[in-house]
Amino acid sequence: MTDSATRAPGIRAVLFDSGGVLMRPVGGRWNPRADFEETVLRHAAPVPAERFAEAIAAGERFLGEAAGTPEIDTYHRVLLDRLGVGATGELLAELRREVPRRRCWSCIGTCCPRSRS
């Protein structure tokens, strides 16, 4: 237990960010989900990479201009509309599902309990 005499003045907490995942997501962006392109391409004809970049930028503008937090399906419809892809119920449901965890290949069996499975 620490008392106020042993604490550094002004420090209220310390945050350890292993791998930078608390400051930025592992996939490099918060929205859309890390497997967005892969998921869309399973449901639609090939879409050029630059179209995805344009759609993601439109989604960022949409989120930035929203008065609150929009429904995730509404956000996905903005992106899909920009891509020219129909927002089917099946596609929207797949975009709502939990993002699959990726295996940590740099530490197989050594540090991450998940890597041992």
Side-chain angles (χ1 to χ4, degrees), residues 57-70 78:
E60 287 298 314
R61 285 190 301 276
F62 170 74
L63 291 174
E65 295 168 359
T69 303
V78 168

Side-chain angles (χ1 to χ4, degrees), residues 48-116:
E50 64 272 5
R51 298 276 309 277
F52 278 106
E54 293 166 8
I56 291 168
E60 287 298 314
R61 285 190 301 276
F62 170 74
L63 291 174
E65 295 168 359
T69 303
E71 293 293 323
I72 193 70
D73 281 352
T74 304
Y75 168 70
H76 286 143
R77 283 186 181 98
V78 168
L79 274 67
L80 295 170
D81 184 58
R82 182 56 76 103
L83 291 170
V85 173
T88 65
E90 184 181 344
L91 176 52
L92 291 171
E94 192 168 346
L95 290 170
R96 278 191 311 271
R97 79 184 179 346
E98 185 175 334
V99 177
R101 295 187 184 270
R102 307 250 186 227
R103 195 176 272 252
C104 176
W105 294 107
S106 64
C107 61
I108 297 292
T110 59
C111 64
C112 299
R114 288 191 188 288
S115 70
R116 294 185 203 120

